[in-house]
């Protein structure tokens, strides 16, 4: 995508169009391991209507997914599996840490639990909470859309200098 | 069968095996010398008056730090009683942890026929952490014994496939032992902490 980060009028318009198209076709891969899964299901059902964000269709193959939703506690035993699924996803891809266990390990501080999935893979959006309320998930989803619009794929972080528009928005 | 009868029937059948017993609010417990565990268990299952056909749970306790530091009193300032009321009689109290042995294995048996239950406790030394497996009597003991092996490192003689069940291959040590360092991490990928 670096070739598109040009300043010319045509390419920047194309950039925006691609971002707009992508942010409304979020195909998620839900990696659900624990109780946060119930809250994810509540959010994904019709009451909260995540179809309006174009995120209504979860894909259960990493090859077809754009966003990896890591939902629930990640233990050291499952960590290589999660990493492998992340590796199998095609670029561009994004990662959402759903719930405080995936963000930091939460209240688990023991031999079994990974202290935040950002120790094993880059994360774009953190949604804390135990579990997060659906409103918070939707807020995180909109923040993710902003990032996708700005064409920042995982590992390619925007800074205040490179993207003043999204930081001042 | 009530608690005293349960304890008495085991005691009469195995006078050498039963080292102690107690009952509290309808829960009977017999403490059995480790080498008799399989025999006593077979008796409990096959005796027509007992018929303990259901092994509810099998777990272990590490007593190595028991009583050596004050318990974290979560309810101390809340007004919630942490000890049972003295008004409830406890005529047959808990005799305390095993004197010498570090671990205690705890078996919970239930009879779906007679609807009575019995707890069997056996002390296990750290140096000789080996007990006979009861998988030949209750196939459900398979995973329970694997869990005790995984978490506490107690070996079961005669188990068909004694390997880790919760932790992964290559994990070093037994995490529920009290001397397992609380901050020790053994991740498969990623940083150690």
């Amino acid at each position: 995508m670096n070739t598109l980060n040009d300043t010319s009028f045509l390419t920047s318009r194309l950039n925006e169009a691609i971002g707009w198209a992508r942010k409304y076709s979020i195909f998620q891969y839900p990696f659900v391991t624990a109780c946060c899964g119930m809250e994810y299901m509540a959010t994904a059902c019709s009451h909260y209507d995540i179809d309006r964000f174009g995120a209504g269709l979860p894909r259960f193959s990493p090859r077809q997914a754009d966003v990896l939703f890591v939902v629930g506690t990640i233990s050291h035993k499952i960590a290589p599996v999660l990493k492998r699924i992340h590796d199998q996803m095609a670029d561009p891809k994004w990662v959402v840490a759903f719930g405080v266990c995936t963000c930091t390990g939460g209240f688990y501080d023991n031999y079994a639990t990974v202290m935040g999935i950002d120790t094993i893979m880059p994360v774009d959006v953190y949604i804390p909470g135990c579990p997060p309320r659906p409103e918070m998930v939707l807020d995180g989803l909109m923040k993710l859309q902003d990032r996708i619009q700005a064409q920042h794929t995982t590992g390619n972080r925007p800074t205040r200098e490179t993207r003043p528009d999204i930081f001042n928005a | 069968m009530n608690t005293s009868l349960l304890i008495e029937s085991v005691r009469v059948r195995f006078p050498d095996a039963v080292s102690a017993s107690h009952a509290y609010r309808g829960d009977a417990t017999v403490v059995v010398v480790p080498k008799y565990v399989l025999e006593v268990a077979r008796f409990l299952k096959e005796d027509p008056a007992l018929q303990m056909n259901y092994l509810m749970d099998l777990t272990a306790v590490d007593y190595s730090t028991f009583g050596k530091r004050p318990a974290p009193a979560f309810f101390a300032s809340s007004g919630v009683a942490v000890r049972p009321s003295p008004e409830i009689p406890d005529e047959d109290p808990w005799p305390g942890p095993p004197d010498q042995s570090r671990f205690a294995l705890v078996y919970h048996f239930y009879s779906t026929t007679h609807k009575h239950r019995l707890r069997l406790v056996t002390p296990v030394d750290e140096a000789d952490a080996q007990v006979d497996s009861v998988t030949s009597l209750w196939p459900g003991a398979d995973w329970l014994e694997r869990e005790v092996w995984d978490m506490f490192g107690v070996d079961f003689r005669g188990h068909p496939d004694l390997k880790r069940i919760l932790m992964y291959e290559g994990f070093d040590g037994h995490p529920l032992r009290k001397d397992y360092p609380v901050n020790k991490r053994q991740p498969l990928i990623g940083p150690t902490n």
Side-chain angles (χ1 to χ4, degrees):
Chain A
M1 297 314 300
N2 285 335
T3 52
L4 290 178
N5 285 339
D6 228 351
T7 46
S8 80
F9 175 77
L10 267 180
T11 48
S12 62
R13 290 288 106 183
L14 179 64
N15 223 8
E16 271 182 41
I18 291 175
W20 178 86
R22 278 181 180 159
K23 79 172 178 182
Y24 287 118
S25 66
I26 301 173
F27 287 69
Q28 338 137 24
Y29 181 98
F31 191 91
V32 177
T33 57
C35 37
C36 268
M38 302 312 293
E39 212 66 15
Y40 170 78
M41 290 170 215
T43 314
C45 282
S46 52
H47 191 81
Y48 291 94
D49 190 19
I50 57 170
D51 249 336
R52 62 196 148 136
F53 304 105
L57 279 177
R59 310 304 301 177
F60 296 102
S61 162
R63 313 270 184 211
Q64 300 169 349
D66 307 308
V67 179
L68 177 62
F69 265 72
V70 186
V71 183
T73 320
I74 299 300
S75 65
H76 286 308
K77 197 175 182 180
I78 203 81
V81 180
L82 176 63
K83 179 72 179 159
R84 183 169 187 160
I85 282 171
H86 181 252
D87 290 345
Q88 284 172 334
M89 288 170 66
D91 278 325
K93 59 188 171 186
W94 295 270
V95 178
V96 174
F98 186 115
V100 75
C101 290
T102 54
C103 294
T104 67
F107 55 64
Y108 296 108
D109 183 10
N110 57 30
Y111 59 91
T113 307
V114 175
M115 299 280 99
I117 58 163
D118 53 3
T119 59
I120 55 174
M121 61 173 61
V123 176
D124 293 283
V125 176
Y126 297 86
I127 308 174
C130 186
R133 283 201 50 82
E135 291 84 345
M136 240 171 123
V137 180
L138 298 182
D139 191 41
L141 202 58
M142 286 188 275
K143 286 197 163 46
L144 179 70
Q145 282 187 321
D146 290 346
R147 290 185 70 103
I148 296 174
Q149 172 72 68
Q151 305 220 343
H152 287 109
T153 50
T154 303
N156 176 18
R157 305 293 174 98
T159 63
R160 204 167 286 278
E161 286 70 37
T162 57
R163 292 293 303 213
D165 51 331
I166 58 167
F167 275 96
N168 299 328
Chain B
M1 203 181 275
N2 64 25
T3 55
S4 51
L5 272 174
L6 275 170
I7 292 171
E8 207 44 44
S9 57
V10 182
R11 225 185 237 292
V12 168
R13 178 72 176 74
F14 297 98
D16 299 336
V18 179
S19 60
S21 70
H22 62 98
Y24 183 62
R25 298 190 191 180
D27 280 344
T29 306
V30 285
V31 183
V32 170
V33 180
K35 64 176 176 178
Y36 289 104
V37 163
L38 190 57
E39 267 184 73
V40 175
R42 179 172 289 120
F43 168 71
L44 289 176
K45 190 189 178 193
E46 291 173 359
D47 188 82
L50 294 166
Q51 287 190 47
M52 302 287 189
N53 51 3
Y54 179 27
L55 176 66
M56 295 178 72
D57 196 13
L58 194 170
T59 186
V61 186
D62 182 356
Y63 279 112
S64 58
T65 57
F66 185 82
K68 290 188 181 153
R69 56 187 171 197
F74 293 116
F75 303 111
S77 57
S78 67
V80 178
V82 288
R83 292 188 185 286
S85 163
E87 290 163 20
I88 299 170
D90 188 11
E91 287 143 10
D92 192 8
W94 185 50
D99 292 336
Q100 307 288 319
S101 306
R102 175 173 175 181
F103 302 104
L105 283 186
V106 186
Y107 301 74
H108 288 138
F109 298 115
Y110 181 67
S111 167
T112 54
T113 322
H114 298 301
K115 305 205 182 339
H116 56 203
R117 59 190 85 222
L118 180 70
R119 185 187 298 119
L120 190 152
V121 176
T122 185
V124 178
D125 286 325
E126 189 183 3
D128 182 31
Q130 260 205 345
V131 182
D132 283 323
S133 168
V134 294
T135 45
S136 54
L137 298 166
W138 296 274
D142 186 340
W143 283 16
L144 297 170
E145 288 178 352
R146 277 175 65 188
E147 188 188 350
V148 171
W149 157 248
D150 193 358
M151 293 288 128
F152 292 94
V154 176
D155 202 358
F156 289 90
R157 271 187 300 259
H159 189 284
D161 184 22
L162 195 65
K163 61 180 182 188
R164 289 189 182 279
I165 186 169
L166 295 174
M167 305 315 293
Y168 30 89
E169 291 299 321
F171 189 87
D172 181 35
H174 303 283
L176 287 195
R177 285 192 172 196
K178 292 292 181 190
D179 54 6
Y180 186 88
V182 72
N183 291 321
K184 189 174 174 187
R185 300 285 187 273
Q186 304 183 42
L188 290 170
I189 58 168
T192 319
N193 239 329

